Amino acid sequence: MTVTKRRTHHKSRLGCKNCKTRKIKCDEKKPSCSNCIRRKVDCDFTAVGTPQPSLSPTGLSMTDLELLHNYTTTTYLTLSESPIIRQFYRDTVVQVGLEYDYIMRGVLALSGLHLAHHRQHIRDHYLAAAVTHHQAASQATIPLVPNATPKNAQVLFLFSVLTTYYALGWPRKSDDTLLLRENAGFPDWVYLLRGTKGFIELAGVPTGGPMAPLFSHSIARFQLREGPEASNSSANAALAELEEVVARRPLEDEALRGVYMRAIAELKKSFGQAEACAAQYEMADAFIWVFLMAEDLLPLLRTPTQEAVAIFAYFCVLLKKLDGHWWMQGWGAHLIAHAYDLLDDEGRLLIRWAVQEIGWVPPLATERLGGETSTYGNSQEIAGTSTL
């Protein structure tokens, strides 16, 4: 009796997930295997750094569909307290994303961060998806920004808004900085935020069309800053004290005094609005101050100057008011800790109200004075030794 030997098959354990699911042989070609190319589906061999094709109904992976579903059912609700703007994010933004690939990728990236925040057990999976989409979107938009046209300026403005949420929602390390980064410049999204003025000037404020609700809402929130409540803010006394110190303090560059005084005056308005709109305080309300001071004050935080850092510490209180949002949790305390490290003893006294309002407790440090040991708040030499 002759025993026929079966042909030996060398099974590969490195095939793509799609082929493994269908139980077919994968040729393992990269960035996409032949089976996935033939079936026009995304192959998981595609690397994060590989340029991505445009999204299409047939090119969406199951993860992409999950991200889109999560955005249209949950994420959009976390982006604003206004029912009109929530509807704008759910409907209009997705519709615009069907025409502009980088908007859709911005939506999927933000949804990925949202899921990563709430599903810690598979956090890395969603973070990887978010990075893939955000990198592809950035590659598409960076060449457009310096050559923006009236036609795409409004869409680029929308992308800068999505990018701001993305930057805020990205998981932080202890040395992350949001707006401030010593010797390293500002993060890319801050330049986009500063560029929104240019986008608006180029395209104009729309009175109709799909983007009108976002602009109308922003204008309405800005007008609230000019209300009579602004003079009754509980922060006024502390800001007035800071204003008095800055007014009489000798400065190397006298031209900066006007910048500081304007920044404090605008902060008074911001705190007045926060008090008047406590039940429906939004990111736009806080970041209007950033928008107004982006070109004048924010660059001074890179030096940094003591006055600019002290003023910025008060802005951290406004960020703290947004702590209930997943994308803003902890930013107020995180940044005021950096501000505290950069300030000298006089500066720390000036921000005492802000520190107490946030509820942040300075770390203990020990310094030997005249043979005696004194314990008090962190006393590192300030300028140049810590990063914001």
Side-chain angles (χ1 to χ4, degrees):
M1 179 177 177
T2 303
V3 178
T4 304
K5 294 184 178 180
R6 298 179 60 184
R7 288 181 60 186
T8 302
H9 292 276
H10 298 284
K11 294 184 178 180
S12 171
R13 300 183 182 276
L14 302 178
C16 75
K17 291 181 180 179
N18 292 331
C19 290
K20 288 180 179 179
T21 300
R22 299 182 65 217
K23 297 181 179 179
I24 60 176
K25 184 178 180 180
C26 180
D27 62 10
E28 301 174 20
K29 290 184 179 180
K30 297 181 180 180
S32 184
C33 75
S34 300
N35 291 330
C36 289
I37 292 174
R38 186 172 58 256
R39 297 179 61 235
K40 297 181 180 180
V41 297
D42 285 351
C43 183
D44 60 295
F45 283 156
T46 303
V48 170
T50 302
Q52 301 294 306
S54 297
L55 292 172
S56 67
T58 59
L60 289 173
S61 68
M62 291 302 294
T63 297
D64 294 336
L65 292 174
E66 180 187 16
L67 296 180
L68 184 58
H69 177 264
N70 178 68
Y71 178 86
T72 57
T73 58
T74 307
T75 304
Y76 82 95
L77 291 169
T78 71
L79 304 181
S80 176
E81 300 295 331
S82 166
I84 294 176
I85 299 304
R86 284 179 171 179
Q87 183 178 354
F88 169 83
Y89 279 122
R90 184 192 64 189
D91 299 334
T92 304
V93 172
V94 174
Q95 290 171 6
V96 173
L98 295 176
E99 182 177 357
Y100 294 90
D101 185 80
Y102 58 86
I103 294 295
M104 182 61 75
R105 290 192 181 277
V107 164
L108 298 180
L110 183 57
S111 180
L113 291 190
H114 185 213
L115 285 170
H117 180 82
H118 290 287
R119 297 180 180 175
Q120 292 292 316
H121 60 294
I122 49 175
R123 174 175 175 267
D124 290 347
H125 167 71
Y126 292 117
L127 289 181
V131 168
T132 298
H133 286 298
H134 186 259
Q135 287 184 343
S138 297
Q139 289 173 6
T141 55
I142 288 175
L144 299 176
V145 173
N147 302 303
T149 66
K151 182 179 179 180
N152 66 9
Q154 291 182 14
V155 183
L156 288 171
F157 171 80
L158 175 58
F159 179 72
S160 72
V161 173
L162 294 173
T163 302
T164 301
Y165 280 113
Y166 179 89
L168 293 170
W170 183 260
R172 294 189 307 279
K173 298 179 181 178
S174 60
D175 59 348
D176 286 343
T177 58
L178 182 60
L179 294 178
L180 314 169
R181 187 179 299 176
E182 186 181 15
N183 299 325
F186 289 82
D188 290 342
W189 71 267
V190 176
Y191 290 108
L192 280 174
L193 184 62
R194 295 175 69 184
T196 55
K197 288 184 179 179
F199 295 148
I200 295 173
E201 291 172 358
L202 185 60
V205 177
T207 56
M211 301 292 290
L214 181 63
F215 283 86
S216 298
H217 180 73
S218 298
I219 292 172
R221 302 306 292 187
F222 182 83
Q223 291 172 343
L224 289 175
R225 294 164 50 81
E226 306 299 330
E229 298 86 358
S231 61
N232 300 323
S233 169
S234 62
N236 261 11
L239 282 169
E241 180 182 348
L242 177 62
E243 190 174 39
E244 183 179 344
V245 171
V246 172
R248 67 171 187 267
R249 192 168 188 169
L251 300 175
E252 293 184 7
D253 185 354
E254 187 61 30
L256 294 181
R257 198 181 308 276
V259 174
Y260 298 144
M261 301 301 276
R262 177 171 172 252
I264 295 172
E266 293 296 342
L267 268 181
K268 287 182 178 180
K269 295 180 182 180
S270 293
F271 276 101
Q273 181 184 6
E275 194 168 89
C277 307
Q280 289 188 323
Y281 193 63
E282 300 189 7
M283 183 181 79
D285 300 335
F287 278 79
I288 284 174
W289 183 80
V290 177
F291 180 86
L292 293 172
M293 302 309 303
E295 296 177 2
D296 298 326
L297 185 76
L298 296 189
L300 300 176
L301 297 171
R302 297 176 61 184
T303 311
T305 70
Q306 292 284 296
E307 295 80 9
V309 173
I311 293 169
F312 182 79
Y314 280 78
F315 172 68
C316 294
V317 178
L318 298 175
L319 297 182
K320 175 68 175 177
K321 295 180 182 296
L322 295 168
D323 249 5
H325 300 281
W326 66 271
W327 37 264
M328 185 56 82
Q329 287 177 7
W331 272 119
H334 179 76
L335 289 175
I336 204 166
H338 287 294
Y340 185 89
D341 279 342
L342 283 175
L343 290 170
D344 57 24
D345 290 341
E346 181 184 1
R348 291 174 180 180
L349 288 175
L350 288 176
I351 70 168
R352 183 170 49 191
W353 177 87
V355 169
Q356 293 173 346
E357 194 74 9
I358 288 178
W360 177 74
V361 179
L364 294 177
T366 302
E367 181 180 53
R368 187 172 298 277
L369 297 173
E372 296 182 0
T373 299
S374 175
T375 302
Y376 58 100
N378 188 350
S379 64
Q380 280 187 325
E381 286 302 319
I382 314 302
T385 62
S386 303
T387 57
L388 262 175

